[in-house]
Every structure is written in C-alpha cells, then in structure tokens.
Amino acid sequence: PAEPARRASCPGSRCPPERTPVCGVPDDAPSPVLPSSLPSSGHDDVSGNRPRIVLFGDSITEQSFGDGGFGAALADRYRRHADVMLRGYSGYNSSDAVALLPHVFPLDDPTPPVLVTVCFGANDAVKPDSGAARVQGCPLDAYARNVRAIVAHLKKLKPPPRVLVMTPPPVDAEAWQAFRVARGYTAEEESDRELSRTLEYANATMAAAREGGAGVVGLDLFGKMVTVKGWERCMSDGLH
C-alpha cells in the first residue's frame, strides 16, 4: 500500500504519520544535537548507543526471551538503559562456545558489553553412553577448562565486562525422555540425562566461577531450584 501522506506539521520522519505531533517543529528545524557527555560512537559505530548485555549460552539461553524467561525479564528491567542481546545456540556445548568466542566477543571490539551471562553445561552433561554424547557430550574436566577459558577470554576485553556464570538447571530426566519420544527425537529407551550427572557439572561451573576473580560471579541455578518443592513443574519439557 502507498505510504500515508505526512501531516504538514510533521518534519521529515520525526513524527510517524499515525501520531499527532505535539511540538509543532517547523519543517526547516535543524536536527537535534547529542549531548557532549554521550560517547561519540558505540557498537557498530552507532552514535550514542546504549551499553550492551549479552546472554551467551545454549538452548536454555536461546529460549530465555520466551514468556517468563530471564532474558525477557532483563530486557524489561533494563529498558532505555541497556540493549539485551541474545547469543543462545541450541544444541551447543562448552567446546562449541569456546570456538565461538572470537566471533561473538572479538577482542578488538571498541565497545564490549558491560555484562555477559554464561550458561552452558546442560548439553555437556549428557550421559556418555547415550546417542547424543558423540555430538553434545563433553567430559567433566574438559567442561571445567572450557568455562575457565570463556571467563579468561571475556576478561581480556577492554574494558572487561562483568561476568555472571550460571550453572545448568536441574533436569527432570523422565519428563525429558517423554518429550523426546513424543517428538520422535529418539528411539532410546532411557533418558540421555540424569540429575546426579548434571549436579557434577553444576558444581564444576561454580568452582570455575570462583576462580574467575574480580568481576566474575557464579549463580547456582541447580542448587536454588532443587530446594523448591515441585521444581519439576518449572520446566517446560524436563530440560528447559
């Protein structure tokens, strides 16, 4: 459809056609000048851009912008103050994350994020005898090294962001298995996850966070959730 004609009192594109301008700015008014206190350039050379918060993780992070998700909550909490950017990758483990670091967080970024959340481990913790282990699994010691490598890389950014390292949440193995079978994802008779194994990865996550030093904080999602009676009802499919 043809673009609606702009009202005579609306200079250029400052006021969208569907709104009635209240300022009465003349057509030849100069463009507003940004305050000198704002940075001259931001990410992607966008003048005066807002600070960035980057959510880095697997599918748990990828789905965090859904209804009730922590990503959506952060975007709401920091609206008009920071841009919350999603970098969640379904199916990825911590080794995949390390390979992504130069691309998601280049060390020559002139305006690195002010805060990064890191949440992996749910896929790393698949049972070693499961069909998913070949693609997603990561031994516990290698996982711990990967988390430390992620933190170390982020601390090399200038200036370094604050880093919130989150453990994988608990897994309801039976519900996850039922979900996989119902969706036709597997013919295996047993779940590829187990609560006790995920706990080991959660503990390794917290240990790596404690080693991160200043500006790095660990958040024990596993420990906090399992203390809630009926925590299984918080999961959409047993894993997420």
Side-chain angles (χ1 to χ4, degrees):
E3 180 182 357
R6 295 190 178 95
R7 294 182 176 88
S9 58
C10 183
S13 59
R14 290 192 185 93
C15 302
E18 66 274 11
R19 287 188 176 181
T20 301
V22 295
C23 55
V25 180
D27 289 349
D28 58 352
S31 299
V33 178
L34 293 174
S36 58
S37 59
L38 288 177
S40 59
S41 65
H43 186 63
D44 295 333
D45 294 326
V46 178
S47 178
N49 209 346
R50 295 171 180 165
R52 290 177 295 140
I53 297 173
V54 178
L55 314 182
F56 186 45
D58 51 33
S59 59
I60 293 172
T61 296
E62 183 177 330
Q63 296 182 24
S64 69
F65 268 69
D67 291 341
F70 72 88
L74 282 173
D76 179 63
R77 174 64 180 82
Y78 288 101
R79 62 184 184 274
R80 299 187 64 182
H81 295 285
D83 292 329
V84 180
M85 305 183 70
L86 182 63
R87 295 295 182 269
Y89 304 90
S90 178
Y92 278 37
N93 65 12
S94 61
S95 296
D96 300 319
V98 170
L100 280 175
L101 287 173
H103 307 284
V104 180
F105 304 103
L107 295 180
D108 60 352
D109 187 347
T111 55
V114 296
L115 171 66
V116 177
T117 67
V118 178
C119 186
F120 289 94
N123 294 321
D124 301 76
V126 295
K127 292 160 63 174
D129 59 350
S130 67
R134 182 179 60 84
V135 176
Q136 295 182 312
C138 182
L140 186 60
D141 57 345
Y143 169 74
R145 287 196 302 270
N146 288 339
V147 176
R148 290 194 294 267
I150 294 169
V151 171
H153 179 93
L154 294 173
K155 295 187 75 171
K156 292 178 183 177
L157 296 171
K158 297 180 180 180
R162 299 288 184 92
V163 181
L164 179 63
V165 183
M166 304 160 62
T167 75
V171 58
D172 182 346
E174 292 184 4
W176 173 241
Q177 174 65 3
F179 175 83
R180 293 200 306 154
V181 171
R183 292 295 181 92
Y185 293 163
T186 184
E188 295 177 327
E189 295 183 357
E190 295 184 359
S191 178
D192 61 355
R193 321 282 167 134
E194 59 185 7
L195 189 65
S196 60
R197 184 170 175 83
T198 301
L199 172 59
E200 295 177 355
Y201 283 74
N203 290 337
T205 304
M206 292 301 295
R210 287 191 292 269
E211 296 173 12
V216 181
V217 176
L219 176 58
D220 188 3
L221 289 179
F222 187 105
K224 291 183 179 298
M225 287 186 64
V226 293
T227 61
V228 177
K229 184 178 181 180
W231 63 265
E232 296 89 347
R233 294 194 298 273
C234 298
M235 317 300 284
S236 63
D237 55 19
L239 181 64
H240 305 92

